[in-house]
Amino acid sequence: MSLRQLEVFLPQENAHEIEKVLEDQSIRGIWQVHLWADRSIVKILMSSQEAEAAIDRIQRRFSDLEGFKIVVMAVEAIIPRPELPAETPPDLTEIKPDVELDPQRSRINRHELYEDVNRAVGLTANHLLMVLLSTIIAAIGLLRNEETIIIGAMVIAPLLGPNMALSLATTLADMSLAKKALKVGSIGISLALGFSICVGFFIPVSLQIPQIASRTSVHVSDVILALASGIAGAFSFTSGITNAIVGVMVSVALLPPVVTFGMLLGSGQWEAAVGSLLLVLTNLICLNLAGVLTFSVQNIRPSNWWEVPKAQKTTNAAYFIWFGLLSALVVSILWWKNFHMA
């Protein structure tokens, strides 16, 4: 079981209240360190599963005190190993899986999740360079019909963060994070699209290339792929382990279709470009819908109770918008296919 160390900065006269605030929670260790004058730091060692509830309680009790601050740190190892709390012999009638499979207890706490996602949407020169390089590699792979090159492009494409940040911002009703996610995501896709249009304008693009032709229409498998990628992306953040494989899954649903759309647009192949555009839009909608759904299932909510109704309204509105857009796209895709068959 992973552990967290909470370091709570408080006035010395209030430090002793921590144990009472957390009296019904399983604490592996707690100690107080006097800093200076009337300031103290209380260090609490506990399981990561209970850290979120503890942080919320401490914040509600002490947030109005001057100098209050909580620092959350992941614990890599403890020597000697802490002893697990004594447990009574399991009863056959006890339903253990309910605890083990509880979606809220199987994730990192809300505060760590927010910081991880927020860091993933930084608009930096490195971010833009990686978008540009991944677009160049993807364009080469598509034109040469080499899937391995396309996969290489998806490994370095930084497209996971903005989509997951928008989903989390929706779940928490955090407008500042939503604006940041939309800004970074829009700039990244615009950069990839703009460069792809230039490639299509100067280099011949043939629909006879299978890797390009396969991305000019939408199939049921594409919708399933985008939904699965969005769920995997959200789970990778909530588990605290974001790896390149998950980034590839999101990129496979987004980067190649965007590059294909841009190149076809630049080469003047409008009808085929519309098919790629429908695929891009379908993937964007499904990725974000899956992200919102996953964060909701894992019961990620604002820490303040008065913000919860607003967050619920925002989440419901997001469901309505994404499902509405997806329905409109399905109608457009069916119409487009009938138009081509006519």
Side-chain angles (χ1 to χ4, degrees):
M1 179 184 293
S2 60
L3 298 174
R4 293 293 184 270
Q5 178 174 301
L6 310 183
E7 295 191 349
V8 187
F9 294 81
L10 290 168
Q12 188 174 7
E13 61 182 10
N14 299 103
H16 68 280
E17 300 178 32
I18 289 285
E19 290 191 58
K20 185 177 181 180
V21 172
L22 304 178
E23 61 183 355
D24 60 342
Q25 290 197 278
S26 299
I27 298 176
R28 304 298 176 82
I30 183 169
W31 58 98
Q32 179 180 339
V33 179
H34 178 65
L35 296 178
W36 63 85
D38 62 342
R39 310 302 301 176
S40 291
I41 177 173
V42 181
K43 299 187 178 184
I44 308 164
L45 185 65
M46 64 193 318
S47 71
S48 60
Q49 294 178 338
E50 299 202 28
E52 181 173 308
I55 293 171
D56 289 344
R57 290 188 181 187
I58 295 171
Q59 196 171 14
R60 283 194 294 268
R61 173 62 184 85
F62 303 109
S63 60
D64 58 340
L65 298 180
E66 183 180 356
F68 167 77
K69 185 181 297 184
I70 302 178
V71 178
V72 183
M73 295 184 291
V75 178
E76 297 293 337
I78 298 178
I79 302 172
R81 294 180 180 177
E83 295 183 3
L84 294 176
E87 295 182 356
T88 55
D91 185 356
L92 293 177
T93 61
E94 185 180 4
I95 308 176
K96 294 291 287 183
D98 285 349
V99 175
E100 296 171 359
L101 300 180
D102 182 355
Q104 183 173 356
R105 294 176 64 85
S106 63
R107 61 172 172 83
I108 61 175
N109 66 75
R110 175 197 324 108
H111 310 279
E112 288 182 84
L113 173 61
Y114 186 92
E115 292 301 322
D116 289 344
V117 171
N118 192 43
R119 282 194 298 268
V121 287
L123 186 60
T124 63
N126 285 341
H127 176 86
L128 298 178
L129 179 61
M130 294 301 283
V131 170
L132 182 59
L133 291 174
S134 61
T135 303
I136 293 172
I137 296 171
I140 293 173
L142 289 167
L143 292 171
R144 292 175 54 176
N145 194 41
E146 294 191 18
E147 189 172 358
T148 53
I149 298 178
I150 299 174
I151 294 173
M154 294 182 294
V155 169
I156 66 173
L159 302 178
L160 175 61
N163 287 281
M164 294 302 102
L166 183 58
S167 298
L168 181 62
T170 300
T171 308
L172 297 178
D174 189 324
M175 294 302 104
S176 61
L177 181 60
K179 291 177 182 178
K180 184 178 180 181
L182 286 171
K183 178 181 178 181
V184 174
S186 299
I187 292 175
I189 291 178
S190 298
L191 179 60
L193 181 60
F195 182 82
S196 302
I197 291 174
C198 293
V199 171
F201 184 79
F202 291 104
I203 299 176
V205 179
S206 173
L207 287 175
Q208 300 304 314
I209 300 174
Q211 289 292 341
I212 293 179
S214 64
R215 293 178 172 90
T216 57
S217 58
V218 185
H219 305 282
V220 174
S221 60
D222 296 311
V223 176
I224 297 174
L225 172 63
L227 288 171
S229 299
I231 293 172
F235 270 121
S236 72
F237 274 107
T238 59
S239 65
I241 306 174
T242 308
N243 54 53
I245 295 176
V246 178
V248 170
M249 287 189 65
V250 173
S251 297
V252 74
L254 199 54
L255 182 65
V258 169
V259 176
T260 301
F261 171 58
M263 291 195 301
L264 291 173
L265 204 60
S267 64
Q269 301 184 60
W270 312 111
E271 288 192 12
V274 171
S276 294
L277 175 60
L278 291 174
L279 179 58
V280 171
L281 295 176
T282 300
N283 289 337
L284 279 172
I285 291 170
C286 289
L287 284 171
N288 284 279
L289 176 60
V292 173
L293 178 62
T294 304
F295 289 140
S296 297
V297 167
Q298 292 194 297
N299 198 29
I300 296 173
R301 296 288 184 270
S303 56
N304 298 317
W305 64 268
W306 60 86
E307 295 177 337
V308 173
K310 179 183 177 182
Q312 188 60 55
K313 289 181 181 179
T314 305
T315 302
N316 293 338
Y319 282 136
F320 178 80
I321 292 171
W322 292 128
F323 275 117
L325 289 175
L326 185 59
S327 300
L329 268 175
V330 169
V331 172
S332 300
I333 291 166
L334 293 175
W335 176 85
W336 184 250
K337 287 185 177 181
N338 290 333
F339 174 77
H340 274 272
M341 292 175 61

